[in-house]
Amino acid sequence: MKYAMKAILSLCIWFGVVVCAAKKPNIVFILTDDQDILLGSVTPVKQVQTLVANKGATFTNAFVSTPICCPSRSSILTGRYLHNHKTTNNSFSGGCSSVNWQQTLEPRTFGRLLQSAGYRTFYAGKYLNAYGYKEAGGTAHVPVGWDWWLGLEGNSRYYDYTLSINGTARHFSDQYLTNVIQNYSVKFLETVAHSSDSFLMVLAPPAPHAPYTPEPKYRGKYEGVKVPRTPSFNTQKLKSRHWLVNMAPAPLPADVVARVDSYQARRWETLLSVDDMVAATVNTLQQIGQLDNTYIIYTSDHGYHLGQYALPWDKRQPYETDIRVPMFVRGPGIPAKSLVDSVVVNIDIAPTIVDMAGLPVPADMDGKSFLQESMSTQRLPPHRSFVLEYEGEGDKNTVSTDCPLNNDNTLSECYPSSACKCQDSRNNTYNCIRQIYQESNTLLCCFHEQPGVFWEYYDLNTDPYQLNNTYNSLSLPERTQLQSTLKHLTTCRGSSCHH
């Protein structure tokens, strides 16, 4: 908090004379959907790199604690791990935008905390996957904490979608969603241009989430771009892997590989519109004289895989492609073109935004502010352990009748276009430790729920692509220590999570 207040005062003192009343910093939080860092999805957002990353800090060790939309967004909004916010997956029955979420957690989001402190607040775009369900009030429900609310009904779409505009449903058939978010955000900024109140603005575009629909002017821009052929790409069946990962066929057939490459190109093309949106936001902040007093955070709700381990496309797995994300931050006091290797997790975003506003971080937040790290020029070696959590879901309505086991309600998202390899299953449920120590990536250790006991362990120093599960080679004391740490992290609350 003291760093944010120092930045505020520095803006208002000129040659020792106070020339303005101290105004808390504004905050713009930009959250993309499924944007990876390891497969190159930062490449197309060149204006983001120029206007945000190069003007501030790039976090080289940014992660999410759950690699799936609704649980991750719940962690981002509340600063809590999945085991504390209880949103276990993307389904309404899994707590996504449920009545319980509305009653117990929406009043605890960073939006509500800043609004209560006098900030004018704005949210536009994707919120939670089950937002707008009739069982929880439909689009008439406006989450507490937001003065301007433009929430997307349901999951990511680019055309033919419905927004709740301050509780009134409005359907858009042919307006590209990212552009609509941009237009409303510019209007909001113009409205608050001369206000004495600080503002919080959240922009949550659909890109590069499926169905990967680029704006027409960008269609074909990256035609021919392919997924990087790393050692983990389209592997043979791997020894000692969770059965879902090892579903046949492995490797993938040529037609699926071609489709994976086409998705890589289309995903990059959707991000070009996000790049324009960010540029428009920065330019408008400059025009209204608020850029120097505004923190801008750019990140994604999780990563993505495209062909790694012969998995066609999706997230939901605890591997690096799915849990690492881009993270750029610019704002008062943050040195330009700085690299920060401190470990940052999505549970840290809420406490950081609260800290940027000069407010005390609530004790019930599991994460911790990274504002000090972004402003410091003296770096400590990265050292942190955090937990990865997910509870898989099954939905036979998403299993094609043209695929085997089409009546199995323990499977989810199985289609011929992906060689009938399913994206999820009810026992795709795991708790993992991800640990980084000093300059090394150290380890990932996972316990999976499936018939019998199944553990995974990868030493990322010697096996960066996580190809060799070496859990059985660990000594009994090593296993005992890992199990003890995992038990602690999966039950921790508040500061006890800072392991």
Side-chain angles (χ1 to χ4, degrees):
M1 181 170 64
K2 64 181 180 180
Y3 296 94
M5 295 308 298
K6 181 179 178 181
I8 297 167
L9 292 173
S10 67
L11 292 170
C12 298
I13 299 177
W14 186 43
F15 291 111
V17 179
V18 177
V19 296
C20 66
K23 179 181 178 180
K24 291 184 176 181
N26 310 304
I27 301 164
V28 175
F29 177 50
I30 301 159
L31 182 65
T32 58
D33 195 355
D34 290 15
Q35 186 175 4
D36 64 83
I37 186 71
L38 294 184
L39 304 184
S41 284
V42 171
T43 301
V45 289
K46 300 187 186 307
Q47 295 174 99
V48 172
Q49 295 178 57
T50 300
L51 299 174
V52 183
N54 292 347
K55 298 294 184 179
T58 296
F59 286 80
T60 59
N61 281 313
F63 296 86
V64 298
S65 56
T66 305
I68 189 69
C69 299
C70 204
S72 180
R73 289 166 182 264
S74 298
S75 291
I76 288 168
L77 287 162
T78 65
R80 299 186 184 193
Y81 277 127
L82 178 151
H83 65 263
N84 289 327
H85 63 60
K86 305 297 185 183
T87 300
T88 57
N89 51 47
N90 281 345
S91 67
F92 186 76
S93 61
C96 183
S97 200
S98 64
V99 173
N100 180 67
W101 163 267
Q102 294 178 9
Q103 294 175 348
T104 63
L105 291 169
E106 279 184 347
R108 305 293 299 166
T109 66
F110 64 75
R112 177 56 175 163
L113 293 173
L114 266 66
Q115 185 192 56
S116 298
Y119 272 72
R120 298 181 70 176
T121 59
F122 172 98
Y123 194 109
K126 181 174 177 176
Y127 179 55
L128 303 175
N129 296 52
Y131 172 73
Y133 277 34
K134 292 181 180 179
E135 299 91 324
T139 52
H141 171 70
V142 176
V144 64
W146 305 103
D147 299 315
W148 285 44
W149 173 253
L150 298 100
L152 175 67
E153 179 185 38
N155 203 1
S156 288
R157 304 179 74 160
Y158 297 85
Y159 294 105
D160 193 23
Y161 54 87
T162 297
L163 293 179
S164 168
I165 301 180
N166 295 325
T168 299
R170 179 181 172 187
H171 186 74
F172 295 76
S173 59
D174 58 358
Q175 295 185 53
Y176 198 70
L177 177 54
T178 305
N179 294 342
V180 170
I181 294 171
Q182 173 183 315
N183 294 338
Y184 274 105
S185 67
V186 169
K187 290 179 182 178
F188 172 76
L189 291 175
E190 292 172 348
T191 299
V192 299
H194 304 295
S195 172
S196 60
D197 296 329
S198 300
F199 58 83
L200 163 69
M201 187 166 75
V202 179
L203 308 180
H209 194 286
Y212 327 115
T213 308
E215 196 175 350
K217 66 181 179 180
Y218 291 131
R219 177 78 190 194
K221 173 72 174 181
Y222 287 109
E223 191 68 41
V225 167
K226 294 184 176 182
V227 179
R229 271 28 179 194
T230 63
S232 62
F233 182 79
N234 203 20
T235 54
Q236 301 280 343
K237 186 175 181 179
L238 296 168
K239 183 179 179 181
S240 299
R241 212 69 171 206
H242 185 265
W243 74 269
L244 181 66
V245 178
N246 269 335
M247 285 186 74
L252 298 168
D255 64 314
V256 176
V257 172
R259 187 170 291 112
V260 164
D261 283 331
S262 71
Y263 289 168
Q264 172 85 331
R266 300 294 86 78
R267 282 165 52 82
W268 282 22
E269 289 162 4
T270 67
L271 286 166
L272 292 173
S273 299
V274 174
D275 206 35
D276 291 341
M277 181 193 75
V278 172
T281 301
V282 172
N283 291 338
T284 305
L285 287 168
Q286 181 73 60
Q287 291 168 9
I288 66 174
Q290 292 295 324
L291 182 58
D292 291 340
N293 191 33
T294 300
Y295 288 107
I296 302 175
I297 304 172
Y298 181 100
T299 192
S300 175
D301 56 0
H302 47 74
Y304 208 66
H305 59 252
L306 286 164
Q308 288 68 43
Y309 315 112
L311 290 169
W313 51 82
D314 197 44
K315 45 272 182 177
R316 307 178 211 238
Q317 300 302 328
Y319 310 124
E320 295 293 278
T321 51
D322 295 20
I323 65 173
R324 279 189 178 267
V325 292
M327 171 78 76
F328 310 123
V329 184
R330 69 168 286 178
I334 299 179
K337 296 184 178 180
S338 55
L339 297 177
V340 182
D341 59 4
S342 302
V343 181
V344 174
V345 188
N346 57 351
I347 57 171
D348 300 330
I349 292 171
T352 300
I353 289 175
V354 170
D355 190 17
M356 286 174 170
L359 304 173
V361 175
D364 60 3
M365 287 187 174
D366 303 329
K368 54 187 179 181
S369 173
F370 56 78
L371 180 59
Q372 179 179 351
E373 290 293 338
S374 67
M375 300 177 75
S376 175
T377 56
Q378 295 182 342
R379 308 289 182 207
L380 294 175
H383 184 192
R384 187 173 182 180
S385 296
F386 60 95
V387 68
L388 304 171
E389 306 170 287
Y390 181 57
E391 292 187 20
E393 56 183 314
D395 181 358
K396 67 179 181 180
N397 294 323
T398 67
V399 180
S400 171
T401 57
D402 293 325
C403 290
L405 305 173
N406 59 71
N407 289 319
D408 191 340
N409 65 1
T410 68
L411 302 175
S412 183
E413 307 290 335
C414 316
Y415 306 109
S417 60
S418 59
C420 290
K421 297 191 76 165
C422 303
Q423 295 177 5
D424 207 0
S425 66
R426 288 187 183 172
N427 64 3
N428 181 38
T429 296
Y430 53 78
N431 294 310
C432 308
I433 303 167
R434 180 66 175 90
Q435 183 182 84
I436 293 182
Y437 181 70
Q438 293 186 351
E439 298 303 324
S440 62
N441 277 316
T442 316
L443 65 89
L444 171 77
C445 182
C446 297
F447 171 73
H448 292 265
E449 289 188 10
Q450 68 172 45
V453 176
F454 180 70
W455 286 85
E456 284 184 281
Y457 179 93
Y458 302 96
D459 182 343
L460 277 81
N461 301 307
T462 58
D463 182 19
Y465 292 100
Q466 299 167 291
L467 297 172
N468 301 302
N469 178 9
T470 58
Y471 183 80
N472 289 335
S473 67
L474 298 176
S475 67
L476 180 58
E478 288 173 323
R479 295 185 193 185
T480 300
Q481 179 60 51
L482 287 167
Q483 292 170 16
S484 175
T485 302
L486 185 58
K487 181 178 180 180
H488 165 74
L489 286 173
T490 54
T491 58
C492 70
R493 288 183 180 274
S495 60
S496 70
C497 297
H498 304 168
H499 190 271

